[in-house]
Amino acid sequence: MSVLVEIKNLKKVYRTGDITFEALKDVSLDIQAGDFVAIMGPSGSGKSTLLHLMGGLDRPSTGLVTVKGVILNKMNETALAKFRRAHIGFIFQFFNLIDNLTIQANIELPALLQNRQDRKATRHRATSLMERLGILDQAQKHPWELSGGQQQRVAIARALINTPTLLLADEPTGNLDSTSGREVLNILQEFNAQGQTILMVTHDAAAAANAKQVIFIHDGRLVEQMPGNNVQRIAQYMIALTET
Ligand SMILES: Nc1ncnc2c1ncn2[C@@H]1O[C@H](COP(=O)(O)OP(=O)(O)OP(=O)(O)O)[C@@H](O)[C@H]1O
Ligand SMILES: [Mg+2]
């Protein structure tokens, strides 16, 4: 395996008026290509902040984020947006689909926003993703006509349309019933088995146990890392963290 994401001495300070808050304090971490990593930690510990910095959605106060050998810090906004479209797929807790577009149009949108994208190739890839995700029969509907689980599968297809180097998911099962959540986790595992690198933030030990490894964050610091194969141990560590 080769290193895909390199994080060095990352700090993020938020300023609200006179008040500053250190959301991340000196986080260093390497993610290997092909890995499936779950990020866990109490509410407010800095999980989403870390994910946003990795995906170039926000900038660190100090420290480096390198994705595929490219240092994100040094890019201007235009270059960063272009890099995100080409290399990063995002899945959010609240799906964030566009209501007045059909399912198919939602999925195709990131590809059409990329220059030089071939419409026919895009349609072909969208169709094949919808087929794999079991939503092909929903293609001409609108987001509000779908269940939560179906909407999250649309969001996954949209995140994968540009074959991202890195798939980032922030609580992708947080708004789903357990059956739909299970389906989404199975889908992520399937794509990872085919080589997709995934980083997923979750509160749920059972969800984290689908990953190859689990990283724990507490108060803006990386405090523990363990394999994803022991749900009991993950749950116990999480309880201990929440109590401290
Ligand atoms: N834009 C912002 N301005 C000021 N403070 C912020 C901002 N975004 C996040 N924070 C603070 O930084 C800390 C980390 O936030 P973050 O969203 O990363 O936590 P989290 O671990 O994802 O929590 P949750 O599990 O509740 O989603 C929190 O204390 C939060 O209040
Ligand atoms: Mg969060």
mmCIF file of all heavy atoms in Angstrom, residues 112-151:
data_model
loop_
_atom_site.group_PDB
_atom_site.id
_atom_site.type_symbol
_atom_site.label_atom_id
_atom_site.label_comp_id
_atom_site.label_asym_id
_atom_site.label_seq_id
_atom_site.Cartn_x
_atom_site.Cartn_y
_atom_site.Cartn_z
ATOM 1 N N LEU A 112 -20.750 16.928 -14.859
ATOM 2 C CA LEU A 112 -20.998 17.973 -15.855
ATOM 3 C C LEU A 112 -20.316 19.286 -15.469
ATOM 4 O O LEU A 112 -20.004 20.101 -16.333
ATOM 5 C CB LEU A 112 -22.505 18.177 -16.045
ATOM 6 C CG LEU A 112 -23.229 16.915 -16.546
ATOM 7 C CD1 LEU A 112 -24.730 17.141 -16.617
ATOM 8 C CD2 LEU A 112 -22.693 16.449 -17.891
ATOM 9 N N LEU A 113 -20.075 19.453 -14.154
ATOM 10 C CA LEU A 113 -19.368 20.649 -13.699
ATOM 11 C C LEU A 113 -17.884 20.582 -14.019
ATOM 12 O O LEU A 113 -17.190 21.594 -14.046
ATOM 13 C CB LEU A 113 -19.544 20.832 -12.186
ATOM 14 C CG LEU A 113 -20.930 21.253 -11.721
ATOM 15 C CD1 LEU A 113 -21.012 21.227 -10.202
ATOM 16 C CD2 LEU A 113 -21.300 22.624 -12.257
ATOM 17 N N GLN A 114 -17.417 19.362 -14.238
ATOM 18 C CA GLN A 114 -16.014 19.205 -14.602
ATOM 19 C C GLN A 114 -15.860 19.462 -16.091
ATOM 20 O O GLN A 114 -16.593 18.936 -16.901
ATOM 21 C CB GLN A 114 -15.564 17.772 -14.290
ATOM 22 C CG GLN A 114 -14.540 17.710 -13.224
ATOM 23 C CD GLN A 114 -13.927 16.337 -13.133
ATOM 24 O OE1 GLN A 114 -14.533 15.356 -13.541
ATOM 25 N NE2 GLN A 114 -12.739 16.272 -12.599
ATOM 26 N N ASN A 115 -14.892 20.285 -16.451
ATOM 27 C CA ASN A 115 -14.683 20.579 -17.877
ATOM 28 C C ASN A 115 -14.331 19.307 -18.628
ATOM 29 O O ASN A 115 -13.914 18.323 -18.049
ATOM 30 C CB ASN A 115 -13.544 21.566 -18.060
ATOM 31 C CG ASN A 115 -13.614 22.692 -17.057
ATOM 32 O OD1 ASN A 115 -14.706 23.017 -16.578
ATOM 33 N ND2 ASN A 115 -12.474 23.261 -16.735
ATOM 34 N N ARG A 116 -14.495 19.358 -19.900
ATOM 35 C CA ARG A 116 -14.096 18.273 -20.793
ATOM 36 C C ARG A 116 -14.768 16.941 -20.471
ATOM 37 O O ARG A 116 -14.251 15.895 -20.788
ATOM 38 C CB ARG A 116 -12.569 18.078 -20.755
ATOM 39 C CG ARG A 116 -11.790 19.276 -21.287
ATOM 40 C CD ARG A 116 -10.352 18.899 -21.465
ATOM 41 N NE ARG A 116 -9.820 18.284 -20.261
ATOM 42 C CZ ARG A 116 -9.055 18.923 -19.375
ATOM 43 N NH1 ARG A 116 -8.715 20.152 -19.587
ATOM 44 N NH2 ARG A 116 -8.604 18.313 -18.315
ATOM 45 N N GLN A 117 -15.894 16.990 -19.747
ATOM 46 C CA GLN A 117 -16.566 15.733 -19.458
ATOM 47 C C GLN A 117 -17.475 15.348 -20.619
ATOM 48 O O GLN A 117 -18.231 16.164 -21.118
ATOM 49 C CB GLN A 117 -17.369 15.833 -18.166
ATOM 50 C CG GLN A 117 -16.646 15.248 -16.973
ATOM 51 C CD GLN A 117 -16.490 13.736 -17.035
ATOM 52 O OE1 GLN A 117 -17.169 13.068 -17.819
ATOM 53 N NE2 GLN A 117 -15.591 13.207 -16.232
ATOM 54 N N ASP A 118 -17.362 14.120 -20.998
ATOM 55 C CA ASP A 118 -18.151 13.585 -22.089
ATOM 56 C C ASP A 118 -19.545 13.204 -21.559
ATOM 57 O O ASP A 118 -19.673 12.396 -20.658
ATOM 58 C CB ASP A 118 -17.376 12.361 -22.610
ATOM 59 C CG ASP A 118 -18.105 11.618 -23.694
ATOM 60 O OD1 ASP A 118 -19.298 11.918 -23.936
ATOM 61 O OD2 ASP A 118 -17.484 10.744 -24.289
ATOM 62 N N ARG A 119 -20.602 13.808 -22.136
ATOM 63 C CA ARG A 119 -21.971 13.593 -21.655
ATOM 64 C C ARG A 119 -22.392 12.130 -21.704
ATOM 65 O O ARG A 119 -23.051 11.628 -20.813
ATOM 66 C CB ARG A 119 -22.960 14.405 -22.513
ATOM 67 C CG ARG A 119 -23.247 15.787 -21.982
ATOM 68 C CD ARG A 119 -24.600 16.267 -22.501
ATOM 69 N NE ARG A 119 -25.653 16.043 -21.523
ATOM 70 C CZ ARG A 119 -26.071 16.995 -20.683
ATOM 71 N NH1 ARG A 119 -25.562 18.184 -20.713
ATOM 72 N NH2 ARG A 119 -27.030 16.740 -19.818
ATOM 73 N N LYS A 120 -21.987 11.477 -22.797
ATOM 74 C CA LYS A 120 -22.388 10.083 -22.996
ATOM 75 C C LYS A 120 -21.721 9.189 -21.953
ATOM 76 O O LYS A 120 -22.351 8.296 -21.383
ATOM 77 C CB LYS A 120 -21.987 9.637 -24.414
ATOM 78 C CG LYS A 120 -23.031 8.776 -25.083
ATOM 79 C CD LYS A 120 -22.697 8.554 -26.537
ATOM 80 C CE LYS A 120 -23.058 7.134 -26.925
ATOM 81 N NZ LYS A 120 -22.559 6.805 -28.264
ATOM 82 N N ALA A 121 -20.453 9.444 -21.713
ATOM 83 C CA ALA A 121 -19.702 8.664 -20.718
ATOM 84 C C ALA A 121 -20.282 8.894 -19.320
ATOM 85 O O ALA A 121 -20.399 7.963 -18.523
ATOM 86 C CB ALA A 121 -18.229 9.050 -20.747
ATOM 87 N N THR A 122 -20.692 10.145 -19.060
ATOM 88 C CA THR A 122 -21.293 10.482 -17.769
ATOM 89 C C THR A 122 -22.600 9.727 -17.572
ATOM 90 O O THR A 122 -22.835 9.124 -16.529
ATOM 91 C CB THR A 122 -21.552 12.002 -17.689
ATOM 92 O OG1 THR A 122 -20.301 12.669 -17.753
ATOM 93 C CG2 THR A 122 -22.258 12.382 -16.404
ATOM 94 N N ARG A 123 -23.446 9.757 -18.605
ATOM 95 C CA ARG A 123 -24.729 9.053 -18.528
ATOM 96 C C ARG A 123 -24.512 7.567 -18.277
ATOM 97 O O ARG A 123 -25.173 6.945 -17.454
ATOM 98 C CB ARG A 123 -25.507 9.273 -19.831
ATOM 99 C CG ARG A 123 -26.791 8.531 -19.938
ATOM 100 C CD ARG A 123 -28.014 9.394 -19.997
ATOM 101 N NE ARG A 123 -28.001 10.636 -19.240
ATOM 102 C CZ ARG A 123 -28.898 11.602 -19.407
ATOM 103 N NH1 ARG A 123 -29.835 11.469 -20.309
ATOM 104 N NH2 ARG A 123 -28.854 12.687 -18.670
ATOM 105 N N HIS A 124 -23.526 7.020 -18.952
ATOM 106 C CA HIS A 124 -23.212 5.603 -18.829
ATOM 107 C C HIS A 124 -22.767 5.273 -17.397
ATOM 108 O O HIS A 124 -23.239 4.299 -16.807
ATOM 109 C CB HIS A 124 -22.101 5.236 -19.828
ATOM 110 C CG HIS A 124 -21.823 3.779 -19.871
ATOM 111 N ND1 HIS A 124 -22.631 2.894 -20.527
ATOM 112 C CD2 HIS A 124 -20.828 3.059 -19.314
ATOM 113 C CE1 HIS A 124 -22.151 1.677 -20.377
ATOM 114 N NE2 HIS A 124 -21.044 1.742 -19.643
ATOM 115 N N ARG A 125 -21.886 6.104 -16.853
ATOM 116 C CA ARG A 125 -21.385 5.844 -15.499
ATOM 117 C C ARG A 125 -22.501 6.032 -14.468
ATOM 118 O O ARG A 125 -22.616 5.247 -13.523
ATOM 119 C CB ARG A 125 -20.190 6.753 -15.190
ATOM 120 C CG ARG A 125 -19.654 6.538 -13.792
ATOM 121 C CD ARG A 125 -18.206 6.925 -13.609
ATOM 122 N NE ARG A 125 -17.845 6.873 -12.195
ATOM 123 C CZ ARG A 125 -17.527 5.774 -11.541
ATOM 124 N NH1 ARG A 125 -17.480 4.600 -12.162
ATOM 125 N NH2 ARG A 125 -17.230 5.810 -10.247
ATOM 126 N N ALA A 126 -23.335 7.073 -14.646
ATOM 127 C CA ALA A 126 -24.449 7.308 -13.717
ATOM 128 C C ALA A 126 -25.394 6.112 -13.725
ATOM 129 O O ALA A 126 -25.831 5.634 -12.675
ATOM 130 C CB ALA A 126 -25.196 8.586 -14.096
ATOM 131 N N THR A 127 -25.686 5.601 -14.911
ATOM 132 C CA THR A 127 -26.593 4.458 -15.032
ATOM 133 C C THR A 127 -25.998 3.236 -14.337
ATOM 134 O O THR A 127 -26.684 2.524 -13.605
ATOM 135 C CB THR A 127 -26.858 4.146 -16.520
ATOM 136 O OG1 THR A 127 -27.361 5.337 -17.123
ATOM 137 C CG2 THR A 127 -27.865 3.031 -16.687
ATOM 138 N N SER A 128 -24.717 3.017 -14.549
ATOM 139 C CA SER A 128 -24.109 1.839 -13.950
ATOM 140 C C SER A 128 -24.034 1.965 -12.418
ATOM 141 O O SER A 128 -24.246 0.993 -11.700
ATOM 142 C CB SER A 128 -22.751 1.541 -14.612
ATOM 143 O OG SER A 128 -21.694 1.772 -13.742
ATOM 144 N N LEU A 129 -23.791 3.185 -11.929
ATOM 145 C CA LEU A 129 -23.789 3.397 -10.467
ATOM 146 C C LEU A 129 -25.195 3.186 -9.889
ATOM 147 O O LEU A 129 -25.362 2.529 -8.863
ATOM 148 C CB LEU A 129 -23.288 4.807 -10.131
ATOM 149 C CG LEU A 129 -21.767 5.007 -10.125
ATOM 150 C CD1 LEU A 129 -21.421 6.495 -10.060
ATOM 151 C CD2 LEU A 129 -21.109 4.272 -8.965
ATOM 152 N N MET A 130 -26.219 3.735 -10.575
ATOM 153 C CA MET A 130 -27.600 3.583 -10.086
ATOM 154 C C MET A 130 -27.986 2.102 -10.050
ATOM 155 O O MET A 130 -28.659 1.645 -9.131
ATOM 156 C CB MET A 130 -28.574 4.373 -10.968
ATOM 157 C CG MET A 130 -28.500 5.872 -10.734
ATOM 158 S SD MET A 130 -29.811 6.799 -11.547
ATOM 159 C CE MET A 130 -29.243 6.809 -13.231
ATOM 160 N N GLU A 131 -27.505 1.366 -11.046
ATOM 161 C CA GLU A 131 -27.793 -0.068 -11.110
ATOM 162 C C GLU A 131 -27.152 -0.777 -9.908
ATOM 163 O O GLU A 131 -27.809 -1.549 -9.209
ATOM 164 C CB GLU A 131 -27.232 -0.613 -12.426
ATOM 165 C CG GLU A 131 -27.959 -1.825 -12.918
ATOM 166 C CD GLU A 131 -27.637 -2.124 -14.381
ATOM 167 O OE1 GLU A 131 -26.705 -1.489 -14.934
ATOM 168 O OE2 GLU A 131 -28.316 -2.998 -14.939
ATOM 169 N N ARG A 132 -25.882 -0.471 -9.678
ATOM 170 C CA ARG A 132 -25.167 -1.114 -8.569
ATOM 171 C C ARG A 132 -25.768 -0.767 -7.222
ATOM 172 O O ARG A 132 -25.717 -1.547 -6.283
ATOM 173 C CB ARG A 132 -23.701 -0.695 -8.570
ATOM 174 C CG ARG A 132 -22.887 -1.457 -9.569
ATOM 175 C CD ARG A 132 -21.442 -1.074 -9.515
ATOM 176 N NE ARG A 132 -20.795 -1.490 -8.275
ATOM 177 C CZ ARG A 132 -19.548 -1.186 -7.982
ATOM 178 N NH1 ARG A 132 -18.836 -0.454 -8.798
ATOM 179 N NH2 ARG A 132 -19.008 -1.609 -6.864
ATOM 180 N N LEU A 133 -26.309 0.441 -7.113
ATOM 181 C CA LEU A 133 -26.845 0.898 -5.835
ATOM 182 C C LEU A 133 -28.344 0.601 -5.696
ATOM 183 O O LEU A 133 -28.965 0.947 -4.698
ATOM 184 C CB LEU A 133 -26.581 2.402 -5.665
ATOM 185 C CG LEU A 133 -25.101 2.760 -5.504
ATOM 186 C CD1 LEU A 133 -24.859 4.237 -5.681
ATOM 187 C CD2 LEU A 133 -24.599 2.323 -4.131
ATOM 188 N N GLY A 134 -28.917 -0.036 -6.728
ATOM 189 C CA GLY A 134 -30.321 -0.431 -6.643
ATOM 190 C C GLY A 134 -31.303 0.729 -6.710
ATOM 191 O O GLY A 134 -32.377 0.670 -6.113
ATOM 192 N N ILE A 135 -30.959 1.792 -7.435
ATOM 193 C CA ILE A 135 -31.866 2.948 -7.530
ATOM 194 C C ILE A 135 -32.165 3.324 -8.978
ATOM 195 O O ILE A 135 -32.678 4.408 -9.244
ATOM 196 C CB ILE A 135 -31.284 4.187 -6.780
ATOM 197 C CG1 ILE A 135 -29.820 4.396 -7.136
ATOM 198 C CG2 ILE A 135 -31.474 4.065 -5.277
ATOM 199 C CD1 ILE A 135 -29.215 5.687 -6.613
ATOM 200 N N LEU A 136 -31.870 2.418 -9.896
ATOM 201 C CA LEU A 136 -32.060 2.732 -11.317
ATOM 202 C C LEU A 136 -33.528 3.057 -11.622
ATOM 203 O O LEU A 136 -33.821 3.953 -12.412
ATOM 204 C CB LEU A 136 -31.571 1.562 -12.189
ATOM 205 C CG LEU A 136 -31.473 1.823 -13.681
ATOM 206 C CD1 LEU A 136 -30.616 3.045 -13.986
ATOM 207 C CD2 LEU A 136 -30.929 0.598 -14.419
ATOM 208 N N ASP A 137 -34.451 2.366 -10.945
ATOM 209 C CA ASP A 137 -35.880 2.614 -11.175
ATOM 210 C C ASP A 137 -36.343 3.950 -10.573
ATOM 211 O O ASP A 137 -37.488 4.359 -10.755
ATOM 212 C CB ASP A 137 -36.719 1.442 -10.632
ATOM 213 C CG ASP A 137 -36.348 1.063 -9.209
ATOM 214 O OD1 ASP A 137 -35.300 1.545 -8.710
ATOM 215 O OD2 ASP A 137 -37.113 0.310 -8.582
ATOM 216 N N GLN A 138 -35.455 4.641 -9.855
ATOM 217 C CA GLN A 138 -35.809 5.943 -9.260
ATOM 218 C C GLN A 138 -35.259 7.109 -10.096
ATOM 219 O O GLN A 138 -35.446 8.273 -9.720
ATOM 220 C CB GLN A 138 -35.221 6.058 -7.846
ATOM 221 C CG GLN A 138 -35.399 4.850 -6.966
ATOM 222 C CD GLN A 138 -36.841 4.610 -6.577
ATOM 223 O OE1 GLN A 138 -37.590 5.567 -6.384
ATOM 224 N NE2 GLN A 138 -37.229 3.355 -6.514
ATOM 225 N N ALA A 139 -34.555 6.778 -11.195
ATOM 226 C CA ALA A 139 -33.757 7.775 -11.942
ATOM 227 C C ALA A 139 -34.517 9.062 -12.283
ATOM 228 O O ALA A 139 -33.955 10.149 -12.193
ATOM 229 C CB ALA A 139 -33.202 7.150 -13.212
ATOM 230 N N GLN A 140 -35.795 8.948 -12.655
ATOM 231 C CA GLN A 140 -36.538 10.135 -13.105
ATOM 232 C C GLN A 140 -37.350 10.791 -12.003
ATOM 233 O O GLN A 140 -38.061 11.772 -12.222
ATOM 234 C CB GLN A 140 -37.433 9.791 -14.307
ATOM 235 C CG GLN A 140 -36.660 9.320 -15.537
ATOM 236 C CD GLN A 140 -35.416 10.178 -15.837
ATOM 237 O OE1 GLN A 140 -35.450 11.417 -15.778
ATOM 238 N NE2 GLN A 140 -34.292 9.523 -16.128
ATOM 239 N N LYS A 141 -37.263 10.252 -10.789
ATOM 240 C CA LYS A 141 -37.976 10.866 -9.657
ATOM 241 C C LYS A 141 -37.160 12.015 -9.095
ATOM 242 O O LYS A 141 -36.028 12.253 -9.509
ATOM 243 C CB LYS A 141 -38.200 9.818 -8.563
ATOM 244 C CG LYS A 141 -39.196 8.743 -8.937
ATOM 245 C CD LYS A 141 -39.509 7.914 -7.711
ATOM 246 C CE LYS A 141 -40.471 6.786 -8.037
ATOM 247 N NZ LYS A 141 -40.565 5.838 -6.905
ATOM 248 N N HIS A 142 -37.752 12.715 -8.126
ATOM 249 C CA HIS A 142 -37.054 13.791 -7.428
ATOM 250 C C HIS A 142 -36.732 13.341 -6.004
ATOM 251 O O HIS A 142 -37.385 12.444 -5.484
ATOM 252 C CB HIS A 142 -37.898 15.067 -7.436
ATOM 253 C CG HIS A 142 -37.958 15.711 -8.794
ATOM 254 N ND1 HIS A 142 -38.768 15.218 -9.793
ATOM 255 C CD2 HIS A 142 -37.274 16.745 -9.316
ATOM 256 C CE1 HIS A 142 -38.587 15.953 -10.893
ATOM 257 N NE2 HIS A 142 -37.670 16.884 -10.622
ATOM 258 N N PRO A 143 -35.738 13.981 -5.378
ATOM 259 C CA PRO A 143 -35.297 13.519 -4.051
ATOM 260 C C PRO A 143 -36.423 13.323 -3.040
ATOM 261 O O PRO A 143 -36.407 12.344 -2.293
ATOM 262 C CB PRO A 143 -34.335 14.630 -3.607
ATOM 263 C CG PRO A 143 -33.733 15.117 -4.876
ATOM 264 C CD PRO A 143 -34.848 15.056 -5.884
ATOM 265 N N TRP A 144 -37.400 14.258 -3.019
ATOM 266 C CA TRP A 144 -38.452 14.156 -1.988
ATOM 267 C C TRP A 144 -39.345 12.926 -2.146
ATOM 268 O O TRP A 144 -40.080 12.551 -1.249
ATOM 269 C CB TRP A 144 -39.292 15.431 -1.950
ATOM 270 C CG TRP A 144 -40.232 15.586 -3.127
ATOM 271 C CD1 TRP A 144 -41.457 15.010 -3.262
ATOM 272 C CD2 TRP A 144 -40.004 16.347 -4.317
ATOM 273 N NE1 TRP A 144 -42.017 15.357 -4.467
ATOM 274 C CE2 TRP A 144 -41.147 16.177 -5.138
ATOM 275 C CE3 TRP A 144 -38.955 17.142 -4.772
ATOM 276 C CZ2 TRP A 144 -41.254 16.770 -6.383
ATOM 277 C CZ3 TRP A 144 -39.076 17.740 -6.013
ATOM 278 C CH2 TRP A 144 -40.206 17.559 -6.804
ATOM 279 N N GLU A 145 -39.284 12.288 -3.322
ATOM 280 C CA GLU A 145 -40.113 11.094 -3.543
ATOM 281 C C GLU A 145 -39.429 9.813 -3.055
ATOM 282 O O GLU A 145 -39.963 8.731 -3.199
ATOM 283 C CB GLU A 145 -40.429 10.965 -5.040
ATOM 284 C CG GLU A 145 -41.220 12.145 -5.576
ATOM 285 C CD GLU A 145 -41.353 12.120 -7.096
ATOM 286 O OE1 GLU A 145 -40.411 12.583 -7.770
ATOM 287 O OE2 GLU A 145 -42.387 11.631 -7.579
ATOM 288 N N LEU A 146 -38.204 9.951 -2.525
ATOM 289 C CA LEU A 146 -37.418 8.785 -2.119
ATOM 290 C C LEU A 146 -37.343 8.665 -0.598
ATOM 291 O O LEU A 146 -37.455 9.654 0.117
ATOM 292 C CB LEU A 146 -35.983 8.908 -2.663
ATOM 293 C CG LEU A 146 -35.698 8.330 -4.039
ATOM 294 C CD1 LEU A 146 -36.608 8.902 -5.114
ATOM 295 C CD2 LEU A 146 -34.238 8.532 -4.405
ATOM 296 N N SER A 147 -37.108 7.438 -0.134
ATOM 297 C CA SER A 147 -36.886 7.229 1.304
ATOM 298 C C SER A 147 -35.497 7.733 1.669
ATOM 299 O O SER A 147 -34.658 7.996 0.791
ATOM 300 C CB SER A 147 -36.979 5.736 1.623
ATOM 301 O OG SER A 147 -35.855 5.067 1.093
ATOM 302 N N GLY A 148 -35.226 7.861 2.967
ATOM 303 C CA GLY A 148 -33.915 8.326 3.433
ATOM 304 C C GLY A 148 -32.787 7.430 2.931
ATOM 305 O O GLY A 148 -31.763 7.922 2.451
ATOM 306 N N GLY A 149 -33.007 6.125 3.033
ATOM 307 C CA GLY A 149 -31.979 5.168 2.592
ATOM 308 C C GLY A 149 -31.700 5.298 1.100
ATOM 309 O O GLY A 149 -30.542 5.246 0.659
ATOM 310 N N GLN A 150 -32.784 5.493 0.321
ATOM 311 C CA GLN A 150 -32.611 5.671 -1.137
ATOM 312 C C GLN A 150 -31.879 6.979 -1.426
ATOM 313 O O GLN A 150 -30.996 7.031 -2.280
ATOM 314 C CB GLN A 150 -33.979 5.678 -1.831
ATOM 315 C CG GLN A 150 -34.623 4.305 -1.891
ATOM 316 C CD GLN A 150 -36.079 4.377 -2.346
ATOM 317 O OE1 GLN A 150 -36.785 5.363 -2.105
ATOM 318 N NE2 GLN A 150 -36.526 3.322 -3.008
ATOM 319 N N GLN A 151 -32.244 8.045 -0.692
ATOM 320 C CA GLN A 151 -31.569 9.334 -0.905
ATOM 321 C C GLN A 151 -30.077 9.235 -0.590
ATOM 322 O O GLN A 151 -29.250 9.809 -1.289
ATOM 323 C CB GLN A 151 -32.197 10.425 -0.027
ATOM 324 C CG GLN A 151 -33.570 10.841 -0.508
ATOM 325 C CD GLN A 151 -34.075 12.060 0.254
ATOM 326 O OE1 GLN A 151 -33.440 13.093 0.293
ATOM 327 N NE2 GLN A 151 -35.240 11.922 0.863
#
